[in-house]
Amino acid sequence: MSVAIHQSAIVSPGAHVAEGASIGPFCTVGPNVTIEAGVELISHVSVDGHTRIGAGARIFPYASIGLAPQDLKYKNEPTRCEIGPRTLVREGATIHRGSVGGHGVTTLGADCMIMAMAHVAHDCTLADRVILANNVMLGGHVEIGDTVFVGGGTAVHQFVRIGRQAVIGGMSGVEADVIPYGSAMGNRARLIGLNLIGLKRRGFSRPEIHALRAMFRLLFREPGIFADRLAQALERYPGDAQVAEVLAFITAASRRGLCKAGRDTAAEDEDEAAA
């Protein structure tokens, strides 16, 4: 297999481009970039910095990857950007490299989809199968677990954590951490329940879903002091892996605190009863 580089593309001599990669018209690739096998830069793509694009990724026109972070403290240090295999980056999306004030690297996992005009800021960490819909804006240092969906137009504050299998409704403003398997939406975002549709689609059993539902009601619907309810949950579910994951997320160190529960809805109650 050969490397296909369009005659109008500019690929710096120091760049490493693997066999089977394709670099389309008017793309620019910096000297410290590694492009792995089967990557396709469709056209008008800019990749710079110490950036690695994983095998089979596809980058659509006018996307910008690995350029300097929007951080006034950044002084052109050799920080990095890592894009996982088979990830799709759609038109006009921007993914900036890390900063020395953070991890020094911005990371996207495998099989992610970053839709048009979305922004992933410096030092963000996205696990596998994360989907950011159009115009999502991630501030710096955001951490997102695997198989999370973030709806279009949502803004996520810097240092926020979003646990795996969570879903964020479109046009939300997320200022605080969202638990794994949670469903949050609104400006400012509040927990409205669990991501029950996602749990069913991904094969979670009825007992697993029922345990998560009971845990959610105890923590976020029952009266009393939250710390006391959390202590009850820790005692009540010692052997449940999913519940333990949520509780570990809640008790871990956080810069932003926990996203609070919002209103009850009839639809939520119906969905939970069906689960």
Side-chain angles (χ1 to χ4, degrees):
M1 297 176 67
S2 61
V3 176
I5 301 177
H6 193 273
Q7 62 183 1
S8 65
I10 300 174
V11 179
S12 298
H16 176 76
V17 182
E19 294 289 317
S22 172
I23 300 177
F26 303 103
C27 294
T28 61
V29 178
N32 298 305
V33 171
T34 297
I35 294 177
E36 296 185 349
V39 169
E40 182 181 8
L41 310 185
I42 292 176
S43 74
H44 298 84
V45 173
S46 180
V47 186
D48 200 8
H50 291 76
T51 295
R52 177 182 294 272
I53 299 182
R58 298 185 71 206
I59 316 298
F60 284 71
Y62 303 103
S64 172
I65 299 176
L67 274 72
Q70 296 175 137
D71 183 347
L72 294 174
K73 300 184 296 299
Y74 182 73
K75 304 301 180 186
N76 205 35
E77 295 91 350
T79 54
R80 297 182 293 120
C81 180
E82 301 276 348
I83 307 295
R86 300 175 303 280
T87 284
L88 302 180
V89 180
R90 295 304 304 250
E91 296 84 350
T94 52
I95 303 169
H96 290 167
R97 61 183 180 255
S99 71
V100 294
H103 309 298
V105 58
T106 301
T107 305
L108 278 67
D111 301 299
C112 295
M113 180 161 63
I114 311 302
M115 294 189 192
M117 309 308 295
H119 174 63
V120 179
H122 60 87
D123 302 290
C124 286
T125 302
L126 280 60
D128 299 338
R129 298 176 299 279
V130 172
I131 298 176
L132 306 183
N134 298 59
N135 299 297
V136 166
M137 299 166 285
L138 302 185
H141 314 273
V142 167
E143 299 179 17
I144 300 182
D146 69 74
T147 325
V148 167
F149 176 82
V150 183
T154 290
V156 182
H157 196 285
Q158 60 185 2
F159 292 103
V160 160
R161 299 177 302 144
I162 300 176
R164 75 184 190 102
Q165 306 272 356
V167 60
I168 310 297
M171 302 298 290
S172 294
V174 183
E175 293 183 310
D177 298 344
V178 178
I179 61 170
Y181 314 106
S183 175
M185 65 181 300
N187 185 10
R188 298 301 196 234
R190 291 292 181 268
L191 277 174
I192 60 170
L194 296 173
N195 181 17
L196 293 172
I197 293 175
L199 290 169
K200 293 175 186 177
R201 286 177 176 172
R202 291 162 197 139
F204 285 78
S205 68
R206 289 176 65 88
E208 288 172 330
I209 294 174
H210 288 169
L212 284 168
R213 182 183 64 178
M215 177 273 304
F216 183 88
R217 287 192 175 278
L218 171 61
L219 289 179
F220 297 105
R221 299 298 186 213
E222 297 294 332
I225 299 171
F226 183 80
D228 294 340
R229 301 198 303 274
L230 179 60
Q232 292 178 42
L234 289 167
E235 293 178 0
R236 190 175 298 180
Y237 304 102
D240 189 287
Q242 284 75 39
V243 172
E245 179 184 353
V246 175
L247 298 178
F249 181 93
I250 292 172
T251 55
S254 171
R255 296 281 293 269
R256 298 298 305 168
L258 195 64
C259 185
K260 303 300 191 296
R263 55 187 171 81
D264 281 305
T265 66
E268 175 195 340
D269 291 339
E270 291 173 2
D271 283 345
E272 290 185 349

